[in-house]
Amino acid sequence: MDGEGFSRRKFMKITGSGIVAVTAGPQLTLASEQSLREAAKEHVARESGADMDDLEIVNEAMASWSTLKERYYHAKVYDVSEREIHGALLDGEKNPIDRDALHEREREAYRAKYGKLDRKLYERIADADDDETFEVGIWLEGIDYSAAREAVGFDLKPDTPELRRQLSDEYLDRIGRKTEAFAETIRGHEGVTVLATDRGSTFVEAEVTATALDAVEQYGEVRKIFHIDREIRLELEDTTKTHRTYWDNEGSFNASGYPVGQGETKPDSTYYVNIRGTNWTRDYSDPDNDTSGHSQAVMECMASWDDDHPGTGHNADVYHADEILVDFDNKMEWFYDNFVCAVNFSWGVGDRDRTMGKWDFRFGQQAYHRYLNMVKSAGNIGDSNDDGEPDKFDVTSPGLGFNTTTVGNTDNKNNSNWSDDEIAGGSAYESPYSRHADPTYDDFPHTKPEVSAVGKGNELPSGGNPSGTSVAAPGVTGMYAVLSSLCDGYGVYDVRFYPSVAKAIMMAAARNDAGSFDDKMGAGTISAWAAEDIIADETYLEDDFQESNTSQTYSADLSSGAEVRVALTWLTNVENSEFSDNKDAQSDLDLDLNVVDPDGTTVEGSWNYDRGYEFLKFTTSTSGTFEFEVDNFRWDAAETSRNIGLAWHAQ
């Protein structure tokens, strides 16, 4: 059966029943999964001239265009002989579908039904009075990225942190001028009050009446308009169990001089009465502010200087901004200006329905334009909707987004043995909706979280043993500071300015010795020791992948019997992504990863669809030079190149 050739890959089942509903003409029809697979290979053989015996389906899914209510069979077909990846998008009668034409029909259908409003905002204003007001985020079309790169000579100079900073400043300047110009235009409209303009993303916040919203929609530069949610839910629970600290787990890694950021809500100061404040943070609004409660617990796990209970990023400076969703862009600018290694967000916002929204996109664009490592707690199971029913294990926003490192919670059983670690009860892992992920079925790979950290009963220096993904996420944020410290220690470039590289190292260095995580905890639990190995041995790289290339190949010398973990990551620019309904969200690139042994045989691969990374692990059966081949399956980006990060760890 297709998929068995790569034993470690989780071959996706469509339904598990052998029969699937696929669009055929104006309606759905039932089709045999196996007949669709054969048709996909036949299509690729005709188009490419490949031998049918050399073709293997390495991934498959039902791809949805939600507004049209159409779904098609989509297969990734690998030519083993030529080491090439092909796609086949078929309807229920096994006819190939023109993807570009389908996108255009979906776009027209969405505009006809919702205009430029996000579906949720459209439903919210359906029964509103003309003068009823709403806080909205107006998402504008993107800037000219090629012109920005040309302005700083980015493609003509060596890629250095200093040059990246120049490019980021150029992005921010162009976005700022664009959003401010649009804000000035709509300020003259009756019923419109501009609240804020962004520089890190092409968003303008405004308060508008239902009538004025119609006028704002008409501007050509408006891409989509969202309702703004600012109500934050904390993702911290309480427990009496005490576990080993990050220090006990990983040793004496020090992040002094490498700052991290903390974006918080403003909880009641008595939320955790057993956690006292300290004075080692730099606060956005008050440099002498003494934080407490949820903020204090998170920051101690991230950067505590206490020698008995140190944080992961031991002794790092913490820049703390409260009420983060108010004046959001200026606070992100503050983090950027202070060169933080990563920013932590241990809370959730918005509906918990697995659909990406404005905060997921807006946070992701901060990573894209400011080269910030954005870290988010995955969320805990609970009753966040107050409907009397417990949530499923749905990851919370803004952790659904492509460019955010989302973190699950590991229970390490209060010992130093990694082999009995397991998922902490309540740690969220359900994937967001995307074009190829239909929550009707649960057979598709889990794309969130990317990694996990110990977050069950961490003993704090100020007292208390909080649990939850809220205290797991800062473990990863602190680890990003450790990565920068290690880079300087080994005399290599600082990966804080290369989010794709930093995330790839984090994932390749993660451990899953127990084998019990499956992919529900991402690549595994973070390990500073393994990260140090990667940086010391320089088993990582950054490169620009060119749109014109079908593949780019990188080499690694490996010994026989090594267990190897490989991560490929890239940043998504959602301004380029081809989706109308947020339920169909997908990265603007689809890159795949294959491992080829010294004999030229493909031994493993990761061929996912919608997310911004690929991850795999394999055991070498021979020594020699292996190749990591990155394939270009889909390119919707406006830019002609995109920076990628690749990291591998062998043990």
Side-chain angles (χ1 to χ4, degrees):
M1 176 181 174
D2 286 305
E4 291 181 352
F6 301 99
S7 59
R8 298 184 68 87
R9 185 183 58 77
K10 296 176 179 61
F11 185 65
M12 182 185 297
K13 299 175 184 176
I14 302 178
T15 65
S17 67
I19 301 294
V20 67
V22 192
T23 297
Q27 60 189 14
L28 291 174
T29 186
L30 295 178
S32 158
E33 293 178 4
Q34 192 57 38
S35 67
L36 288 167
R37 292 173 185 137
E38 289 301 313
K41 292 197 292 186
E42 290 170 0
H43 169 73
V44 170
R46 285 194 304 271
E47 293 294 313
S48 68
D51 190 314
M52 282 281 288
D53 292 337
D54 290 333
L55 298 179
E56 180 172 357
I57 294 179
V58 292
N59 209 347
E60 60 181 358
M62 298 308 302
S64 299
W65 281 259
S66 295
T67 312
L68 293 170
K69 297 183 179 179
E70 296 180 11
R71 58 202 306 264
Y72 298 94
Y73 174 78
H74 196 192
K76 288 191 174 185
V77 185
Y78 188 66
D79 185 336
V80 177
S81 176
E82 298 297 324
R83 289 164 40 186
E84 294 178 347
I85 190 75
H86 302 273
L89 184 66
L90 306 178
D91 68 11
E93 296 177 347
K94 306 175 187 63
N95 298 313
I97 296 297
D98 184 329
R99 190 177 74 97
D100 292 338
L102 184 57
H103 279 321
E104 183 60 25
R105 287 200 298 115
E106 169 75 5
R107 189 189 69 81
E108 291 176 355
Y110 189 93
R111 288 290 172 87
K113 185 171 184 178
Y114 302 112
K116 293 183 179 179
L117 304 186
D118 173 64
R119 177 169 43 83
K120 292 180 181 179
L121 176 59
Y122 176 86
E123 293 167 354
R124 184 180 289 266
I125 69 167
D127 299 320
D129 295 332
D130 290 348
D131 59 353
E132 186 174 346
T133 60
F134 301 87
E135 279 194 30
V136 298
I138 305 166
W139 186 11
L140 306 179
E141 296 291 348
I143 60 172
D144 187 334
Y145 289 93
S146 296
R149 291 169 71 102
E150 184 177 348
V152 300
F154 191 84
D155 297 316
L156 303 176
K157 303 174 184 177
D159 187 347
T160 64
E162 293 75 19
L163 183 60
R164 284 187 160 259
R165 194 76 174 183
Q166 291 177 33
L167 180 59
S168 181
D169 287 339
E170 183 69 22
Y171 285 161
L172 300 179
D173 180 63
R174 288 172 180 262
I175 294 170
R177 284 188 276 119
K178 185 181 187 73
T179 56
E180 186 53 45
F182 182 77
E184 188 61 30
T185 299
I186 63 173
R187 281 190 178 102
H189 280 285
E190 183 179 354
V192 175
T193 302
V194 174
L195 302 176
T197 59
D198 276 15
R199 278 169 31 94
S201 60
T202 53
F203 271 82
V204 174
E205 291 184 11
E207 185 177 76
V208 300
T209 63
T211 300
L213 196 55
D214 291 335
V216 173
E217 267 193 276
Q218 305 310 311
Y219 286 96
E221 59 263 55
V222 173
R223 178 185 177 97
K224 188 174 282 190
I225 306 175
F226 298 87
H227 178 258
I228 293 180
D229 297 310
R230 300 189 198 271
E231 183 178 350
I232 287 176
R233 297 182 302 274
L234 302 178
E235 293 174 342
L236 190 66
E237 300 167 351
D238 203 5
T239 182
T240 57
K241 191 174 181 180
T242 301
H243 286 269
R244 70 181 188 262
T245 64
Y246 296 107
W247 180 279
D248 298 327
N249 197 9
E250 288 296 335
S252 54
F253 292 96
N254 194 296
S256 177
Y258 299 90
V260 289
Q262 163 70 353
E264 261 291 352
T265 179
K266 199 171 184 66
D268 188 305
S269 61
T270 61
Y271 188 81
Y272 272 104
V273 296
N274 62 337
I275 302 175
R276 68 177 184 274
T278 60
N279 288 310
W280 44 266
T281 63
R282 317 282 180 86
D283 194 78
Y284 177 78
S285 57
D286 179 3
D288 297 320
N289 186 39
D290 185 26
T291 60
S292 62
H294 182 267
S295 298
Q296 185 66 37
V298 169
M299 289 188 288
E300 287 184 356
C301 288
M302 181 163 46
S304 167
W305 43 256
D306 187 288
D307 285 340
D308 294 323
H309 304 89
T312 312
H314 180 54
N315 213 23
D317 288 329
V318 179
Y319 287 81
H320 173 269
D322 227 338
E323 297 183 292
I324 187 65
L325 299 187
V326 178
D327 200 21
F328 170 71
D329 193 70
N330 282 334
K331 291 170 182 175
M332 298 307 300
E333 183 98 353
W334 181 65
F335 291 135
Y336 173 78
D337 288 343
N338 284 287
F339 293 87
V340 298
C341 299
V343 188
N344 188 84
F345 308 94
S346 287
W347 42 262
V349 65
D351 296 330
R352 196 166 185 175
D353 60 2
R354 298 170 69 174
T355 304
M356 293 188 205
K358 64 251 157 222
W359 290 117
D360 299 287
F361 301 143
R362 203 167 168 187
F363 273 59
Q365 292 305 91
Q366 294 289 338
Y368 192 84
H369 295 129
R370 287 192 163 110
Y371 299 121
L372 285 173
N373 293 298
M374 309 284 276
V375 181
K376 166 69 176 72
S377 54
N380 308 321
I381 190 169
D383 182 17
S384 64
N385 297 323
D386 297 323
D387 59 2
E389 296 293 331
D391 301 320
K392 295 181 180 178
F393 290 85
D394 299 344
V395 172
T396 58
S397 289
L400 298 170
F402 302 106
N403 297 339
T404 304
T405 303
T406 305
V407 184
N409 182 2
T410 299
D411 181 355
N412 62 16
K413 303 296 183 63
N414 197 24
N415 63 56
S416 59
N417 182 7
W418 290 70
S419 64
D420 64 353
D421 289 1
E422 63 182 19
I423 302 169
S427 183
Y429 57 81
E430 293 284 9
S431 298
Y433 276 99
S434 66
R435 171 138 291 145
H436 296 84
D438 182 349
T440 305
Y441 312 115
D442 201 22
D443 292 312
F444 52 84
H446 299 281
T447 60
K448 292 285 183 175
E450 286 91 345
V451 291
S452 60
V454 177
K456 183 70 183 293
N458 295 334
E459 185 177 348
L460 301 179
S462 57
N465 312 113
S467 287
T469 56
S470 272
V471 290
V476 173
T477 305
M479 185 69 78
Y480 274 119
V482 170
L483 294 185
S484 289
S485 174
L486 290 170
C487 286
D488 281 352
Y490 284 98
V492 296
Y493 64 87
D494 190 342
V495 296
R496 90 176 80 175
F497 302 106
Y498 300 82
S500 295
V501 180
K503 188 173 184 177
I505 293 173
M506 194 76 70
M507 294 180 70
R511 294 174 59 175
N512 181 8
D513 294 5
S516 61
F517 290 170
D518 195 28
D519 58 357
K520 294 178 181 178
M521 296 302 286
T525 304
I526 58 171
S527 169
W529 290 116
E532 182 176 21
D533 289 343
I534 292 172
I535 292 171
D537 297 337
E538 295 190 50
T539 58
Y540 67 97
L541 58 88
E542 65 84 20
D543 195 15
D544 280 344
F545 195 100
Q546 303 297 323
E547 177 188 12
S548 57
N549 291 341
T550 57
S551 66
Q552 293 180 193
T553 302
Y554 308 93
S555 300
D557 292 329
L558 301 171
S559 299
S560 180
E563 295 181 2
V564 187
R565 301 162 62 82
V566 190
L568 166 72
T569 69
W570 62 92
L571 291 179
T572 291
N573 185 354
V574 291
E575 293 172 3
N576 299 325
S577 298
E578 290 289 344
F579 62 88
S580 296
D581 193 305
N582 295 346
K583 283 189 174 182
D584 300 338
Q586 59 181 163
S587 174
D588 59 339
L589 303 185
D590 187 345
L591 304 178
D592 292 317
L593 175 64
N594 308 313
V595 179
V596 181
D597 71 12
D599 296 326
T601 302
T602 301
V603 295
E604 187 54 279
S606 179
W607 300 277
N608 289 286
Y609 285 100
D610 301 323
R611 63 194 188 184
Y613 69 87
E614 298 289 349
F615 174 78
L616 59 82
K617 50 188 177 180
F618 69 101
T619 301
T620 58
S621 59
T622 186
S623 298
T625 300
F626 287 71
E627 292 183 344
F628 301 136
E629 185 176 271
V630 180
D631 293 325
N632 181 359
F633 183 76
R634 173 177 55 82
W635 192 283
D636 294 333
E639 303 97 313
T640 58
S641 67
R642 181 67 55 82
N643 191 252
I644 62 172
L646 183 69
W648 59 99
H649 183 258
Q651 65 180 34

